[in-house]
Amino acid sequence: MGDTITVSTTFSRVQSPAVTYNWFKDFHPTCLTYVPGSAKLTDAAGAHQVEPYIEIAPGYIAADFYTLGLKVVSDVGPTSVAPVFSAQYKVGSCTPGTPMTTGIAYAQAQWGTADDSTEGPSITVGGTTGGGTGGGTGSSGLTGLLGGLGSSA
């Protein structure tokens, strides 16, 4: 309890065409509390803060890239740089040793929306400060036509 973790999701593509993301939602256990100002989108142009255009609620945060004026494009190829969304959370009263579900939802300009709110890697909190374990590298399950977003904690 009291540790801070960083959760990152990479918007990688496994096949053409490129896609543009309008918004992104990061689902997390309600015992994790978003650290204000920590959410960012990193792409080929560098790191972009996503606040103030972020919705913060128990169980998720949502970033509106369109309102921010960010064109978040994921493409394939040797020179493409996959955008990465990351945010930090403070660990609260999570049940130690119990895997907890994470996930994502998003809107793509070309394909519409997807809800994988329970498809991310699990997070397991240890019983002592600093004793947690991340879910490792996970996947939202969208490695086919829609793209292959992957999350890690």
Side-chain angles (χ1 to χ4, degrees), residues 9-13 21 41-44 46 72-77 79-85 148-149:
T9 301
T10 301
F11 297 76
S12 62
R13 295 285 299 161
Y21 293 87
L41 186 283
T42 305
D43 60 12
V72 180
V73 178
S74 182
D75 200 356
V76 296
T79 61
S80 66
V81 175
V84 177
F85 180 87
L149 293 175

Side-chain angles (χ1 to χ4, degrees), residues 90-107:
K90 181 76 74 177
V91 178
S93 298
C94 301
T95 305
T98 303
M100 298 174 289
T101 302
T102 66
I104 61 172
Y106 56 88

Side-chain angles (χ1 to χ4, degrees), residues 11 21 23-27 61-63 65 103-107 113-118 140 142 149:
F11 297 76
Y21 293 87
W23 58 260
F24 175 77
K25 190 179 279 190
D26 180 57
F27 289 92
I61 61 171
F65 302 137
I104 61 172
Y106 56 88
T113 62
D115 182 351
D116 293 309
S117 56
T118 61
S140 67
L142 298 179
L149 293 175

